[in-house]
Amino acid sequence: MITLRNVSKRFGKRVAVANLNLDIPRGGIFGLLGHNGAGKSTTIGMVLGQVTPDAGSVQIGGIDVFDDRQRALAGVGAIFEAPAFCEYLSGWRNLRILCEYSAPFDPGRAREVVELVGLTGRIDDRVATYSHGMRQRLALAQALLPRPELLILDEPSEGLDPEGIHEMRNLILRLNREWGLTILFSSHLLAEVQQLCSDLAVMREGELLFAGNWRELDADRQWVKIRADRQADAERGLQSAGLVDLFEYDGRGRLATGVAVPQLAAWLVSNSFAVEALHPIERTLEDFYLETIHNVRDAAQK
């Protein structure tokens, strides 16, 4: 659906995006992860044709965004940066005006998306009376009016309370599963991304560190949590014995290929360690993200 090839962008001396190559497939929910300043919003801005790259090409559906922006973005809806509305007008009037900038207003379609985002009871109220979450839902309704195939969301849960985050997550899932939209969204809320997608990209200081299905990495490896007396000695010994490939924080370790948990227990007991805890754990996206970031930092320092 989206293809970026050798895309770079600088703002003065600061490198915002460095030689980015990325393919975002059709039909899924794709997450764009990274710390503030990692290049996520700049990347989305280039996909939407609002930020011009210094080098490289950006295509949507095989159409170059900067050669034929109108056609490339014809099937795209987006929430990018802070949504802006006429505060003194109703939500409905805002939708009508914003839609008529580029296409005829379809009241039936508008009622459909207003119901979907949960604003039916407040759509005739002035936007000045809307909460932040309601403004986000109005922005989403606006993005859906043109019947897009691709929906791009830049930090859609930013500033929302837990209930609002939950509602936005369910909306994204429904738009993908029931409406068939391909969705690209950026976020730094790792727990949300984990619940929404497997395919993602991790960026740091403008560089792409990972792209793909994070759940498939080490799918054949089991992770465990170990707690024993003389913890540091236990971790070193298990690694030296070839039973654990690596340890992270808090006694979390990745078993070597073909090793099972009972083998760790037997080794610890036979080497006179008092085992306080030893059990399998499920890797989270936070674990994967931190490992990806730290591996790059460690490599850079060598």
Side-chain angles (χ1 to χ4, degrees):
M1 175 64 84
I2 302 175
T3 303
L4 298 97
R5 289 290 176 268
N6 304 313
V7 175
S8 296
K9 180 64 182 180
R10 283 178 175 267
F11 294 103
K13 295 182 178 180
R14 184 176 70 86
V15 176
V17 174
N19 197 38
L20 176 61
N21 288 280
L22 185 62
D23 293 291
I24 298 173
R26 184 183 299 272
I29 304 176
F30 192 97
L32 193 57
L33 294 181
H35 58 82
N36 291 335
K40 305 186 303 296
S41 292
T42 300
T43 298
I44 288 178
M46 290 189 288
V47 171
L48 292 172
Q50 297 184 15
V51 177
T52 303
D54 298 326
S57 66
V58 182
Q59 295 184 348
I60 298 176
I63 303 170
D64 191 283
V65 171
F66 295 94
D67 287 344
D68 193 347
R69 183 182 178 190
Q70 184 174 358
R71 196 158 65 97
L73 298 179
V76 179
I79 302 178
F80 183 54
E81 299 182 336
F85 300 106
C86 296
E87 299 281 322
Y88 59 90
L89 297 178
S90 70
W92 182 264
R93 186 63 178 155
N94 268 275
L95 288 181
R96 186 177 194 109
I97 291 172
L98 293 168
C99 179
E100 288 178 344
Y101 281 140
S102 57
F105 182 69
D106 181 347
R109 172 66 175 179
R111 284 190 291 271
E112 182 182 19
V113 298
V114 166
E115 181 179 359
L116 172 71
V117 302
L119 281 179
T120 301
R122 295 291 305 276
I123 197 62
D124 292 320
D125 295 346
R126 290 184 300 116
V127 170
T129 67
Y130 283 13
S131 66
H132 177 69
M134 292 172 65
R135 291 166 187 262
Q136 286 292 89
R137 284 186 273 166
L138 185 63
L140 182 57
Q142 177 193 345
L144 294 172
L145 277 177
R147 303 179 187 274
E149 297 179 3
L150 169 65
L151 183 63
I152 299 177
L153 307 173
D154 186 24
E155 300 285 0
S157 299
E158 183 75 23
L160 297 182
D161 59 22
E163 184 179 3
I165 292 172
H166 174 78
E167 291 172 352
M168 182 60 71
R169 181 201 314 143
N170 287 340
L171 275 173
I172 291 173
L173 288 170
R174 186 177 176 191
L175 289 168
N176 174 250
R177 295 172 180 174
E178 297 181 19
W179 289 42
L181 272 65
T182 301
I183 298 173
L184 165 65
F185 75 102
S186 72
S187 180
H188 59 268
L189 300 177
L190 300 180
E192 287 304 298
V193 178
Q194 179 172 338
Q195 294 185 68
L196 287 169
C197 60
S198 295
D199 290 323
L200 53 83
V202 178
M203 297 183 69
R204 177 175 177 268
E205 296 179 358
E207 295 187 356
L208 180 67
L209 305 185
F210 172 84
N213 188 328
W214 71 276
R215 298 181 190 276
E216 292 179 352
L217 291 182
D218 295 329
D220 59 339
R221 303 286 188 93
Q222 189 171 22
W223 286 78
V224 296
K225 181 171 182 178
I226 298 169
R227 179 63 61 198
D229 68 328
R230 297 178 289 128
Q231 181 74 21
D233 291 339
E235 292 182 7
R236 284 193 294 268
L238 288 167
Q239 286 185 281
S240 297
L243 298 174
V244 176
D245 281 343
L246 64 87
F247 277 98
E248 295 183 331
Y249 59 93
D250 196 29
R252 302 162 70 93
R254 183 180 67 191
L255 299 188
T257 302
V259 174
V261 173
Q263 292 173 259
L264 270 66
W267 187 92
L268 289 167
V269 171
S270 66
N271 285 274
S272 303
F273 287 95
V275 181
E276 299 171 12
L278 174 57
H279 57 85
I281 58 173
E282 180 181 354
R283 289 277 285 170
T284 66
L285 179 56
E286 179 179 344
D287 296 326
F288 168 78
Y289 177 81
L290 292 175
E291 181 184 347
T292 301
I293 295 294
H294 291 159
N295 284 347
V296 171
R297 287 176 178 165
D298 292 344
Q301 292 170 358
K302 292 179 180 178

